[in-house]
Amino acid sequence: MQHRNTRYDLLFRFDAGTSRGIMRQKTSWFLKLEKDNRIGIGEFGILKGLSVENFDSFEEDINKNIREYSKETKKFNWSSLNDFPVIKFGLEMAHLDLARHGNGILFDNAFTRGESSIPINGLVWMGDYRFMFEQIKEKIDMGFECIKIKIGAIDFEEELSLLKYMRSEFAKNDIEIRVDANGGFKPENALEKLKLLSDYHLHSIEQPIRQGQWEEMAKLCLDSPLPIALDEELIGISNATLKIKLLDTISPHYIIIKPSLLGGYMASEEWIALAKERKIGYWVTSALESNIGLNAIAQWTYEMDHTMPQGLGTGLLYHNNFEGPLYIKNGALHFNSKISVYENFNLFS
């Protein structure tokens, strides 16, 4: 088996604001496996400051683990990558692509045949009031019935004002609103903010306080008038026993599944199974991958329960993304089966 990997910097169309700061570019590495005239492509979508892996040694870690994989592919110990979840997902993605089709179709289903779609939320990034207001209008005009708003960066009263505007125009039965604090609230005032947010009939809030504060988060989940979803809280936890402990300690209403940050499909399916046992809901979210990684996540998502809107609308973020079969229409992600996944992917040509 031959393999190559290369770095690629994805450039945002705008300053993408979160409570952790502003993003202007996102770096991914891409892997190409070749065997018997077939290829498999994987994306390693590391997020500096959020992913478990060390950004400075990431390329070296990729090369080391790929060499181990290529020695004995069929008997490869996937658990050896538990400390490298981003690498594990990218390698799993390339492995499935090579083994199943070699053309970017990892899962043959109604989505990849172009017969069905996946409902998704429209994402509103942080910024000043006007910037966020314009994004909300744009998402509504695009037909989204679920809108997710990142909060925690501008004045909280202004954020409440945005929510008030939305609810004055659209009832909760017309537009579902989710908010994502990215851990931006402090434990001592989080509950007060959740009570104020609940006035606007929100679906849920993601990660209100910083991850790692299990007892404080458990209290919030118990007392909050607003359903809480864990996001960053799950990153870096690969041991099943620890996953169980986290879910049983915090008892969240939802968990957010990000395959590229949680260690791939197998690891994500374990989280889902444990959540279902505890009657905890979930949805899948991409983690700023290019359209190559987003494609792989979307295909797998369709295999899961996907009746509620998923967080897969990040394909429009970049100036220099790879055009392919994915497109958004009427608040849903579609797959054009007449277009090749790799038609405009030329990093290895």
Side-chain angles (χ1 to χ4, degrees), residues 34-63:
E34 295 182 80
K35 185 178 182 180
D36 300 330
N37 295 318
R38 301 177 75 176
I39 67 168
I41 301 294
E43 178 173 354
F44 305 112
I46 188 171
L47 284 175
K48 194 173 183 179
L50 185 59
S51 301
V52 172
E53 287 91 339
N54 184 322
F55 187 88
D56 295 331
S57 63
F58 190 59
E59 188 164 14
E60 180 182 339
D61 292 331
I62 290 173
N63 291 326

Side-chain angles (χ1 to χ4, degrees), residues 110-156:
F111 176 71
T112 54
R113 292 192 296 270
E115 301 166 356
S116 187
S117 61
I118 302 172
I120 62 174
N121 61 243
L123 181 59
V124 174
W125 290 84
M126 291 178 180
D128 61 32
Y129 183 93
R130 182 174 180 80
F131 175 65
M132 295 180 72
F133 181 82
E134 291 300 323
Q135 287 183 84
I136 290 170
K137 288 178 59 179
E138 177 189 40
K139 301 304 179 187
I140 292 172
D141 290 343
M142 290 175 67
F144 284 99
E145 295 180 357
C146 175
I147 295 179
K148 171 181 166 180
I149 304 175
K150 287 186 173 289
I151 62 173
I154 65 173
D155 180 76
F156 186 63

Side-chain angles (χ1 to χ4, degrees), residues 66-212:
I66 291 174
R67 285 194 297 268
E68 291 299 314
Y69 165 82
S70 62
K71 287 179 182 178
E72 201 167 5
T73 303
K74 292 183 179 180
K75 296 182 180 180
F76 181 67
N77 179 16
W78 288 94
S79 63
S80 67
L81 291 175
N82 284 350
D83 291 335
F84 303 95
V86 173
I87 296 175
K88 188 176 183 181
F89 170 70
L91 188 53
E92 185 182 24
M93 173 183 164
H95 173 87
L96 285 177
D97 190 20
L98 182 68
R100 296 188 176 181
H101 301 282
N103 60 0
I105 305 297
L106 282 69
F107 298 90
D108 181 8
N109 53 38
F111 176 71
T112 54
R113 292 192 296 270
E115 301 166 356
S116 187
S117 61
I118 302 172
I120 62 174
N121 61 243
L123 181 59
V124 174
W125 290 84
M126 291 178 180
D128 61 32
Y129 183 93
R130 182 174 180 80
F131 175 65
M132 295 180 72
F133 181 82
E134 291 300 323
Q135 287 183 84
I136 290 170
K137 288 178 59 179
E138 177 189 40
K139 301 304 179 187
I140 292 172
D141 290 343
M142 290 175 67
F144 284 99
E145 295 180 357
C146 175
I147 295 179
K148 171 181 166 180
I149 304 175
K150 287 186 173 289
I151 62 173
I154 65 173
D155 180 76
F156 186 63
E157 292 299 323
E158 289 192 348
E159 291 170 340
L160 292 177
S161 178
L162 283 168
L163 295 172
K164 183 178 181 180
Y165 156 74
M166 287 192 67
R167 279 294 171 244
S168 70
E169 297 288 327
F170 302 95
K172 64 179 181 180
N173 293 330
D174 297 324
I175 295 289
E176 180 179 283
I177 304 174
R178 302 171 179 172
V179 293
D180 182 3
N182 286 125
F185 296 166
K186 295 179 180 179
E188 55 266 28
N189 62 15
L191 183 59
E192 178 185 351
K193 290 188 174 183
L194 293 181
K195 289 177 179 178
L196 291 171
L197 288 167
S198 70
D199 289 341
Y200 301 101
H201 308 291
L202 307 184
H203 172 271
S204 57
I205 181 170
E206 295 180 30
Q207 202 69 43
I209 62 174
R210 182 173 46 82
Q211 66 269 34

Side-chain angles (χ1 to χ4, degrees), residues 150-340:
K150 287 186 173 289
I151 62 173
I154 65 173
D155 180 76
F156 186 63
E157 292 299 323
E158 289 192 348
E159 291 170 340
L160 292 177
S161 178
L162 283 168
L163 295 172
K164 183 178 181 180
Y165 156 74
M166 287 192 67
R167 279 294 171 244
S168 70
E169 297 288 327
F170 302 95
K172 64 179 181 180
N173 293 330
D174 297 324
I175 295 289
E176 180 179 283
I177 304 174
R178 302 171 179 172
V179 293
D180 182 3
N182 286 125
F185 296 166
K186 295 179 180 179
E188 55 266 28
N189 62 15
L191 183 59
E192 178 185 351
K193 290 188 174 183
L194 293 181
K195 289 177 179 178
L196 291 171
L197 288 167
S198 70
D199 289 341
Y200 301 101
H201 308 291
L202 307 184
H203 172 271
S204 57
I205 181 170
E206 295 180 30
Q207 202 69 43
I209 62 174
R210 182 173 46 82
Q211 66 269 34
Q213 304 175 89
W214 289 14
E215 295 302 327
E216 289 85 350
M217 187 69 86
K219 291 177 184 177
L220 281 181
C221 288
L222 184 63
D223 298 332
S224 174
L226 187 61
I228 291 176
L230 302 185
D231 182 358
E232 290 90 342
E233 202 75 67
L234 279 56
I235 297 172
I237 299 178
S238 59
N239 179 276
T241 302
L242 198 55
K243 290 178 181 179
I244 291 170
K245 184 177 180 181
L246 182 147
L247 294 177
D248 287 346
T249 298
I250 298 178
S251 295
H253 303 86
Y254 299 98
I255 60 172
I256 310 299
I257 302 296
K258 292 180 175 176
S260 62
L261 298 184
L262 298 182
Y265 303 131
M266 293 181 285
S268 295
E269 288 172 16
E270 183 175 63
W271 274 114
I272 291 171
L274 292 172
K276 284 184 173 180
E277 289 174 5
R278 290 156 179 79
K279 295 181 171 52
I280 296 170
Y282 79 93
W283 64 87
V284 180
T285 299
S286 52
L288 304 182
E289 299 84 4
S290 76
N291 276 332
I292 300 299
L294 179 60
N295 167 71
I297 292 170
Q299 292 184 31
W300 169 80
T301 301
Y302 192 85
E303 297 283 302
M304 305 292 107
D305 300 328
H306 62 278
T307 53
M308 65 190 307
Q310 308 293 302
L312 303 175
T314 56
L316 302 176
L317 291 177
Y318 305 114
H319 285 295
N320 58 340
N321 209 339
F322 308 103
E323 294 184 12
L326 298 177
Y327 66 98
I328 296 173
K329 182 179 179 181
N330 296 329
L333 186 67
H334 299 255
F335 187 100
N336 186 340
S337 60
K338 297 179 181 180
I339 297 177
S340 166

